[in-house]
Amino acid sequence: MNRQKIVVAGLVAGLVLNVLDFVTYWYVVGDALKAAMDAVNPSLSAAMLSTHAMVTGIVMDFLLGIILVWLYAAMRPRYGAGPRNALMAAFFVWLVSAFAYSILHTMGMMSMHLWLLMVCMSLIALGISALVGGKLYSE
């Protein structure tokens, strides 16, 4: 595996993920998520929009992009290069994150509808990001 290319392709994948997350959280689920958080605690939606939370989210998306490309690169010897492998890597990362985020629904912090919408949008964003990162990565 080429570590330098993993980082570079991963950062580009992270940039794509950041853009798609921005669109998702501001335009697709933003109002519903704010309402859900305000229903739990009126200060939660303000905390979500704090500088600290936003910077953390941006950094986490870049790290997630690197993880996606690293997983893609690690899977290449067995599954080969290409979009199928990139989408398998994205699906695995999505599956883990969907399970992790399911606690928000289980604890009553968001409706099943909102949770499903968020995990579907996440699957799309991770898939596109992995395709971009996989396209840029080479041995």
Side-chain angles (χ1 to χ4, degrees):
M1 292 193 311
N2 186 325
R3 291 185 184 130
Q4 184 178 2
K5 289 185 179 181
I6 288 173
V7 172
V8 172
L11 290 174
V12 174
L15 178 64
V16 171
L17 194 55
N18 269 296
V19 169
L20 295 173
D21 278 354
F22 174 79
V23 170
T24 297
Y25 289 110
W26 281 98
Y27 298 106
V28 179
V29 298
D31 292 337
L33 185 59
K34 182 182 181 315
M37 294 300 106
D38 282 341
V40 173
N41 180 342
S43 66
L44 281 180
S45 64
M48 287 186 333
L49 297 174
S50 71
T51 302
H52 176 72
M54 287 188 189
V55 169
T56 300
I58 290 167
V59 170
M60 295 302 281
D61 275 354
F62 280 115
L63 291 174
L64 195 54
I66 293 170
I67 290 168
L68 275 171
V69 174
W70 173 82
L71 186 57
Y72 169 78
M75 293 169 60
R76 271 177 61 130
R78 177 170 293 271
Y79 298 107
R84 181 175 178 267
N85 185 15
L87 291 174
M88 285 191 320
F91 182 75
F92 177 76
V93 171
W94 171 80
L95 195 60
V96 171
S97 67
F99 280 124
Y101 280 115
S102 69
I103 193 70
L104 297 174
H105 169 66
T106 305
M107 292 179 3
M109 293 181 72
M110 65 177 54
S111 67
M112 177 62 86
H113 173 75
L114 179 57
W115 180 80
L116 286 172
L117 182 59
M118 288 179 65
V119 296
C120 287
M121 295 302 295
S122 174
L123 179 60
I124 293 166
L126 286 168
I128 293 170
S129 298
L131 288 169
V132 170
K135 184 75 171 168
L136 294 175
Y137 177 78
S138 62
E139 293 289 325

